[in-house]
Amino acid sequence: MSEEEFKDAVKEGNLKKAASIAQQMMKSPGLFEIAVIGELGSGKSSFINAFLGLADDDVGAAEVGLVETTEWSTLYSHPEYPNVFLWDFPGIGTPNFQSIEHKMTDAYLSGFDFFLIVTATRFRDIHANLAQKIQENMKKFYFVRSKVDQDLGAEKRKINYSEVRTLQQIREDCRAHLQRAGVNDPQVFLLSNWESDKHDFPLLKETLDKELRHAMLQKLLDTSCWTLQEKKTAMQKTTWQPATMSGGPAAIPLPGLSLVADMVVLVESMRNYCKDFGLNSDSLTALAEQVGKREEDLKAVIKSPLATEITTDLVLKLMGMFVGEGVTYLTYFAWSMPVIGSLFSAPVSFGTAMFMLNNFISDLAEDTQRVLAKALEGEEKKSKQHH
């Protein structure tokens, strides 16, 4: 399953197929790049190895040592997700880090999806400043306090030792330093690189897994948004056809309109628009079954009239609402018609019909996006459970 297939399904108005493709894609997240940044000796390279399930001396493991071993940003692939990569940055404050620090512009940071800031001791201003720069670029980040096994080992010599209390003190100290440095509500994970099944390591993996799936969901919703905008624009180029057919010889008693005959044409066109976007009853029923949600909950986010609610009376009411805009809309085409009394000529009813249809299509595009978002809501959690 691919993003292109998802886009095609949305374009076709096949919302059930689009949801099915999204569900499959959520189980195997797309390209996701995580930058791991920390000072020399913070244990960031050992953290990467532990995160990837590698020993420090395994083939393909990040190089570790007491001296700076990361000369350049190095790329490592996640064993479970081949499209997820971890970048091991040179140690903060080292010459190698300074050589890329000046390049950490908005464009540079935007190349990464997520940031992990690692330290083995206290978080300092340098970490907070980095976090603020990342935050300015609307990117997410977590703080990782590594080597807590060493802290616990030192505390064990005390008579009143408590692991829970010691970890809580470390966590509160980390958060306090970061908050004083200007980081709001910092998320701090305490872990040992040698015990990837203890402390916050499992929670960090679970949290990152959720972030991966959330990022994929957001990417798919962004894709559907752009696709629906393109579809809306293409459909609005065809509204002149039913609008022309609706301007006929029979008059109706509607102030501001003189000649609008075949309301059936407009009703049928609007119902077809609903079907084209996948907002008809059969489509919504199939979508609800696919995602395991109630059809009523999906319909609740739709603001436009449903296909079954579109009648001649409704169209007349909408035309009445848009009669003023219809006159303005005509000027877009550089048409100038004199207004006599309260009645306009047939071309004005044509303009009103076009404006009403275009507005209806815009509303349908927005409704479809809301329906898809509601349908896929919570899928990142569900696909984790089924993975």
Side-chain angles (χ1 to χ4, degrees):
M1 296 295 177
S2 68
E3 189 176 342
E4 197 62 34
E5 290 175 294
F6 174 78
K7 181 178 179 180
D8 289 341
V10 173
K11 192 173 182 179
E12 293 164 6
N14 192 337
L15 302 188
K16 176 184 177 180
K17 183 179 179 181
S20 176
I21 293 170
Q23 288 171 325
Q24 291 300 315
M25 292 183 69
M26 297 276 280
K27 294 177 182 178
S28 181
L31 182 63
F32 196 80
E33 302 194 50
I34 304 171
V36 183
I37 306 176
E39 294 172 283
L40 173 63
S42 63
K44 61 182 176 57
S45 296
S46 290
F47 162 74
I48 288 176
N49 291 336
F51 189 83
L52 299 179
L54 300 171
D56 286 346
D57 55 356
D58 280 348
V59 175
E63 190 176 353
V64 301
L66 297 176
V67 296
E68 177 60 21
T69 55
T70 308
E71 294 186 15
W72 309 104
S73 299
T74 311
L75 184 64
Y76 298 93
S77 177
H78 195 290
E80 292 183 33
Y81 303 125
N83 293 327
V84 176
F85 299 97
L86 278 74
W87 287 88
D88 187 5
F89 271 55
I92 295 175
T94 64
N96 290 325
F97 183 82
Q98 291 169 356
S99 68
I100 64 171
E101 190 174 15
H102 74 278
K103 296 192 299 183
M104 296 182 80
T105 59
D106 292 353
Y108 183 82
L109 292 174
S110 67
F112 299 94
D113 300 287
F114 208 86
F115 294 82
L116 295 174
I117 303 173
V118 185
T119 188
T121 54
R122 286 182 172 179
F123 287 102
R124 300 182 292 111
D125 287 352
I126 191 170
H127 303 107
N129 293 338
L130 181 59
Q132 288 170 343
K133 191 172 184 65
I134 293 168
Q135 203 166 29
E136 287 170 4
N137 283 269
M138 307 298 288
K139 297 290 183 177
K140 279 197 169 185
F141 58 90
Y142 294 144
F143 294 100
V144 175
R145 171 61 159 79
S146 65
K147 301 184 181 182
V148 294
D149 52 314
Q150 295 180 9
D151 298 279
L152 293 174
E155 288 292 313
K156 279 181 181 178
R157 295 194 288 269
K158 296 181 180 179
I159 298 175
N160 61 346
Y161 167 73
S162 165
E163 179 176 309
V164 173
R165 185 172 63 248
T166 300
L167 291 174
Q168 185 61 27
Q169 288 172 346
I170 295 172
R171 191 186 309 278
E172 290 175 356
D173 181 66
C174 288
R175 288 177 58 85
H177 275 81
L178 290 167
Q179 287 172 331
R180 281 197 295 270
V183 181
N184 296 323
D185 194 25
Q187 286 189 270
V188 179
F189 293 85
L190 311 181
L191 52 85
S192 165
N193 294 332
W194 314 123
E195 299 171 305
S196 59
D197 60 339
K198 293 184 65 176
H199 312 307
D200 290 341
F201 218 133
L203 178 60
L204 175 60
K205 286 185 174 182
E206 182 182 331
T207 304
L208 280 175
D209 190 88
K210 184 179 176 181
E211 290 290 351
L212 289 174
R213 297 173 192 284
H214 180 75
M216 173 55 72
L217 175 59
Q218 192 55 55
K219 184 177 182 181
L220 289 172
L221 290 177
D222 288 345
T223 298
S224 67
C225 183
W226 286 109
T227 302
L228 289 168
Q229 288 299 311
E230 291 172 358
K231 180 172 183 172
K232 176 193 77 172
T233 302
M235 289 179 69
Q236 286 175 335
K237 291 179 180 178
T238 68
T239 53
W240 64 270
Q241 295 170 324
T244 300
M245 294 177 67
S246 68
I252 59 170
L254 183 64
L257 295 173
S258 62
L259 302 171
V260 179
D262 196 0
M263 288 293 105
V264 175
V265 174
L266 296 180
V267 169
E268 191 63 27
S269 295
M270 292 170 72
R271 287 177 178 173
N272 286 335
Y273 293 155
C274 289
K275 187 175 181 180
D276 288 342
F277 276 100
L279 294 182
N280 56 313
S281 183
D282 289 346
S283 174
L284 292 172
T285 300
L287 175 62
E289 290 176 358
Q290 178 65 39
V291 298
K293 288 185 171 69
R294 296 193 317 153
E295 186 176 346
E296 292 77 11
D297 292 337
L298 299 182
K299 287 181 177 179
V301 300
I302 298 176
K303 297 182 180 180
S304 305
L306 296 171
T308 53
E309 298 171 350
I310 299 173
T311 61
T312 300
D313 287 344
L314 176 66
V315 171
L316 288 175
K317 288 177 183 177
L318 292 174
M319 292 281 280
M321 287 170 56
F322 292 121
V323 64
E325 287 84 348
V327 178
T328 306
Y329 194 73
L330 286 172
T331 64
Y332 177 78
F333 296 97
W335 291 335
S336 177
M337 299 297 298
V339 177
I340 302 174
S342 63
L343 297 179
F344 301 155
S345 62
V348 175
S349 17
F350 165 79
T352 303
M354 273 195 71
F355 189 89
M356 185 267 291
L357 291 176
N358 285 345
N359 191 77
F360 184 65
I361 289 171
S362 292
D363 289 344
L364 288 178
E366 293 176 6
D367 282 335
T368 306
Q369 181 69 5
R370 279 192 289 269
V371 167
L372 274 173
K374 183 66 177 178
L376 295 175
E377 187 178 71
E379 280 296 323
E380 70 269 25
K381 299 172 186 175
K382 188 187 299 184
S383 22
K384 166 66 177 171
Q385 295 165 356
H386 295 168
H387 183 64

